[in-house]
Each structure stands twice: as structure tokens, then as C-alpha cells.
Amino acid sequence: MFIQTEATPNPATLKFIPGRDVLADGTADFRSKTDAAASPLATRLFAIDGVDGVFLGSDFISVTKGDIEWQHLKPMVLGAIMEHYMSGAPVSEGEDANDNAAESYAPEDEETVATIKELLETRVRPAVAQDGGDITFSGFRDGVVYLHMRGACSGCPSSTATLRHGIENLLKHFCPDVQAVQPV
């Protein structure tokens, strides 16, 4: 089994591509060992000292490290991912994704929200997934779009620039009702 790795804009997060499906539908973000209880793969990764976060996408795994250098952590993460896939254990027990957060918006904004979601799905999420993360819609109130940043995007030094100069400008262009974008 050959596992590719890619750097992400977040220096604390590395993207691992096992060449196999990871999650069939949605994404899953785990910020602690306790959160990862339903995922044998995430649990195995959190057993490694220095792993602070695990994000599962459709075909990749993003791992966020703590105060340890990648040169020491990367071989252990590669080994854990390989062991997991060789064991035949499922990536997740039960429901795969944990990205279905409650959404908040007024009923009269339904059309604007539909446009925002469509733009996020077709233009933003595929680009962000290439960097090992995900951005999901959380709410829309008083012209402000609230987005949940996950995986490599969470805590990324360039995430504010991505929100302000990329996503906010895109949404403003297609949705005149959008005045600002804020992370949740």
C-alpha cells in the first residue's frame, strides 16, 4: 500500500492520501480521543503521541500535530494508517460523517441560503478539500454568512485571508444580500 502525503497551508496539518476511499459520504472532524470513539481509524491515530486532530474526507485523512516535528510523527502516522487498512477494520462504526451541524437562518432567506450552499458545494468545498480541510454552512443572519471551518482549515494561519478575500468576495459577487463572512 502506498500512501501519499501533501503539505497543507496549515503547517500543523499534513494530508495523507491512502489511495482508497476514506468516507463514502460527508466529512468527519475529530478534535480529541473522546470525539474519535466511533472511528477505529481516528482512534488508532489519536493513540500516537503528538496527534491533536484527525479529519476524514472522501479520499484523504488530515492529521493535525501538537508540539512535535513532522519528521518524527509522520512515520508513525503512515504506519497507523497502513495497519488500519490492512486490518480490514471499518473507518467508522455507525454513521460516517459528523458534518451535519444545525443550520440557522430566517425562512425569508431561503433563496439566498440555497445560492450560498450551492456555491459552497460547487466552488469552495472542492478547492478547500485539496488543502485537506472543509468548510460547511452554519448560518445566515443580517447579511453575515457563518461558516464552520474543519480539518486543515481549522487554526490555519491563512484561513482568515481565505475567508475574507476568497469566499467572502465570491459570495458577495453572486449574492448581493451577503455583506460579510465569519467563522463559527
Side-chain angles (χ1 to χ4, degrees):
M1 177 176 193
F2 179 70
I3 302 170
Q4 295 179 23
T5 59
E6 290 181 6
T8 71
N10 184 347
T13 303
L14 198 57
K15 182 177 172 182
F16 295 84
I17 306 165
R20 300 180 182 186
D21 288 342
V22 177
L23 285 184
D25 190 34
T27 60
D29 193 18
F30 304 103
R31 295 279 130 212
S32 69
K33 277 184 185 180
T34 310
D35 290 349
S39 171
L41 174 56
T43 299
R44 189 181 299 249
L45 291 168
F46 272 110
I48 301 169
D49 261 353
V51 171
D52 280 359
V54 176
F55 179 79
L56 307 175
S58 62
D59 62 350
F60 68 90
I61 303 148
S62 290
V63 176
T64 302
K65 70 177 185 73
D67 294 332
I68 187 170
E69 295 300 319
W70 277 118
Q71 65 186 11
H72 302 297
L73 187 61
K74 185 177 170 181
M76 292 184 283
V77 171
L78 287 167
I81 293 170
M82 189 172 296
E83 284 175 16
H84 173 80
Y85 279 100
M86 299 307 251
S87 75
V91 171
S92 180
E93 295 169 348
E95 194 172 316
D96 283 351
N98 68 6
D99 60 359
N100 294 327
E103 297 176 352
S104 169
Y105 59 90
E108 60 269 14
D109 293 327
E110 184 75 40
E111 190 175 318
T112 300
V113 168
T115 303
I116 291 168
K117 286 181 177 181
E118 195 257 326
L119 289 167
L120 289 173
E121 284 298 318
T122 59
R123 296 182 183 220
V124 176
R125 289 182 82 186
V128 173
Q130 288 181 343
D131 286 339
D134 194 18
I135 294 180
T136 56
F137 177 82
S138 180
F140 179 69
R141 288 180 301 286
D142 301 322
V144 179
V145 178
Y146 296 92
L147 301 175
H148 191 72
M149 302 178 77
R150 303 156 52 91
C153 294
S154 180
C156 177
S158 63
S159 64
T160 303
T162 300
L163 277 177
R164 292 282 179 266
H165 304 297
I167 299 168
E168 185 174 286
N169 288 340
L170 172 77
L171 294 178
K172 282 180 174 180
H173 178 77
F174 288 100
C175 301
D177 293 342
V178 173
Q179 296 169 3
V181 175
Q182 294 287 321
V184 176

